[in-house]
Amino acid sequence: MTVTAGLGPIDTVDDGRGPLARTLDRVGAVPAIEVRHGLPDTGEQWIGCAEVLGDPAVFDRWRKRLADWLSERHKGQIPERTTSGYIMSWYLQVPGFLAGLLFHTARRVPSLRPRDIAFRLSGDRPHPDGIALLSDEFACLPDDPESHRPEATTVADDRALAALLRARYTAHAAKFVTAFGPGTRFGRRTLWAAATDALDSAGWLAGRSCGDEGAGVADSALLLPTAEEPLTSASTLRAITGENATVWTRRRESCCFHFALPDQPACTTCPRLTEDERAVRALSR
């Protein structure tokens, strides 16, 4: 029976809900974000990824809301490149983290089609604080206890499963690049660099959220073993060892332009930092 990272055997009790729903019931309560199967029966506002990508004006309204929120806190003019950089990263983390979490915890890859994913924005800082998977379809390994189900597709091994995840994620990211790009000053390379960042972070953040950062880093290496176009690099995660600790960090391919806000430093993963500066920052956290 398949054993997931630090979570014990996958639950195969059929309670009328599908395998992905039961998996997300177990692992979806990770820090800072809710990941669930299906939409709740409440008055919460959820946004379908297909809706956003089909109407780029949604991005304009999202940028305006973020600019207002940042302006209240930083008391100054908020650069368009900062709001665009934040939203570029936030959106791509929706399919990226969803896929990374299921890959890390259950070696399952869900559908990543825009019509099969929705997200919820926080009522304060307008970032995604909830992700909903709306499909029961998944790919898995031959030893998955649910591999016999009609919604399951099996692949040979971890590398094949990671390649399928990468292909599904890249297809979603391509739709994002087409929808989001014309409304910003970012070029195609920057947009695909951000897509690469979100995928590289997916396994790492899933592992960290579930208590096994090292296993998450290994997952990111599986997901991005090389720079495969249109993605812009292999995984940039690396260990930094200080006198009393070893920590993981990475160099971003893209930039969120946080440093362009009044009196704000560059992020630890910012490509503008030297590797020595990054090491000092990472070890001081």
Side-chain angles (χ1 to χ4, degrees), residues 15 17 32 39 48 71 76-77 81 94 104 106 112 123 166 173 176 196 206 251:
D15 60 357
R17 308 185 77 218
L39 297 176
S71 182
Q77 186 70 26
R81 59 179 173 163
V94 169
H104 176 72
L112 297 179
R166 187 166 57 249
F176 170 79
T196 306
R251 184 203 71 249

Side-chain angles (χ1 to χ4, degrees), residues 15-204:
D15 60 357
R17 308 185 77 218
L20 293 185
R22 295 197 303 273
T23 300
L24 289 175
D25 283 347
R26 297 172 64 236
V27 304
V30 295
I33 192 165
E34 174 190 7
V35 186
R36 58 175 293 122
H37 187 273
L39 297 176
D41 296 325
T42 67
E44 294 178 347
Q45 279 198 319
W46 289 75
I47 307 166
C49 287
E51 173 190 348
V52 179
L53 298 181
D55 180 9
V58 176
F59 287 121
D60 296 333
R61 295 193 291 272
W62 192 359
R63 274 192 292 262
K64 176 62 166 58
R65 181 176 165 187
L66 174 59
D68 291 344
W69 186 86
L70 288 170
S71 182
E72 289 178 2
R73 282 149 185 79
H74 296 282
K75 309 302 181 187
Q77 186 70 26
I78 304 302
E80 185 276 335
R81 59 179 173 163
T82 301
T83 57
S84 290
Y86 271 46
I87 288 171
M88 175 177 66
S89 297
W90 285 346
Y91 179 89
L92 289 163
Q93 286 169 1
V94 169
F97 185 69
L98 171 65
L101 183 65
L102 282 167
F103 184 79
H104 176 72
T105 57
R107 281 303 189 257
R108 290 173 176 167
V109 175
S111 168
L112 297 179
R113 293 171 297 203
R115 69 173 182 263
D116 293 330
I117 306 173
F119 61 96
R120 179 189 64 206
L121 295 181
S122 169
D124 181 24
R125 177 177 180 256
H127 69 288
D129 69 352
I131 303 171
L133 175 62
L134 310 178
S135 170
D136 292 317
E137 299 173 17
F138 66 99
C140 62
L141 300 175
D143 69 343
D144 189 300
E146 304 281 6
S147 62
H148 64 284
R149 296 181 64 114
E151 60 266 45
T153 300
T154 58
V155 299
D157 53 29
D158 276 5
R159 290 185 183 277
L161 194 64
L164 179 61
L165 186 159
R166 187 166 57 249
R168 289 183 176 182
Y169 171 81
T170 300
H172 189 133
K175 292 180 171 62
F176 170 79
V177 169
T178 298
F180 187 74
T184 75
R185 298 179 183 178
F186 297 155
R188 186 175 177 82
R189 201 275 176 193
T190 295
L191 295 165
W192 277 110
T196 306
D197 287 328
L199 184 59
D200 194 15
S201 297
W204 179 35

